[in-house]
Amino acid sequence: MDDFTPEDDDVELASPTAVSDGHVGGVVSGDHQTPASPKSPVPLHTTTSASRYPQHVTPETVLGFTEPTQTFLCPLSANKHGFDFHDFEIKDYSTNESIFKVSKPANADADSDLPDDEDMDATFAENPHLETAVRTVKYTFPKRVLRCAQIRTALTFSIGDRPASDFRLIERHYFKDTLLKSYDFTFGFVIPNSTNGWDAIYGVDREVMTPAIERLMVAEPFSTTSDSFYFVGNDLVMHNKAAYAYT
């Protein structure tokens, strides 16, 4: 079996591309078609962490993007609900073959030397290029994964003391500046201090994912990217980025 390897040591803290219908063990297909609309906005770059990000980004905002965002649209500290990802797995839906799996180390939360989100935001304000390096995960998959008709994902996540209504993920996949696919999943209400399982099925549009596009994706590593936007209601609470290579 070919190896599926992440290119970042902190994959477990980055963008797990998995969602479902809000029921533990449930599965949902999240295909979402959107018309062409204005390009992604460019957030302000200033020396203060708060003013580096747009004031309010809604689901409708990101559903209108036609290319990847140039920067992140919310700080790490926007995660006021304390969402935390523990386990993430990707499988070929047809064969149930595990493509990729990662788990958060059991003692990760006990490391008191790690800076908190607000400290990291302040560091990123001083060095925006560092934010891109830290908050973007690179994955390397064998090229045969591009031929999977459907991908199934499973995510285990927890939440802090605050309940979350209408927890939602919108995920946009691109090759360079071309939108390949948009996925829109809703979990719904998340009970405070709970740990939840969230499964999903990702469909592939063969009218877009042509053999010619697949060849380009293989020939140009990490030109295939995704933006993952997590919302509670209309509030953006997390924004993660990923880049992919196929060998």
Side-chain angles (χ1 to χ4, degrees), residues 106-126:
N107 62 348
D109 294 329
D111 190 346
S112 59
D113 294 332
L114 291 175
D116 61 24
D117 289 346
E118 292 185 355
D119 288 339
M120 290 300 297
D121 290 339
T123 299
F124 294 152
E126 297 175 357

Side-chain angles (χ1 to χ4, degrees), residues 203-217:
V204 177
D205 186 349
R206 288 299 168 194
E207 292 185 1
V208 176
M209 288 289 291
T210 63
I213 288 292
E214 290 180 7
R215 287 193 293 271
L216 289 172
M217 293 168 69

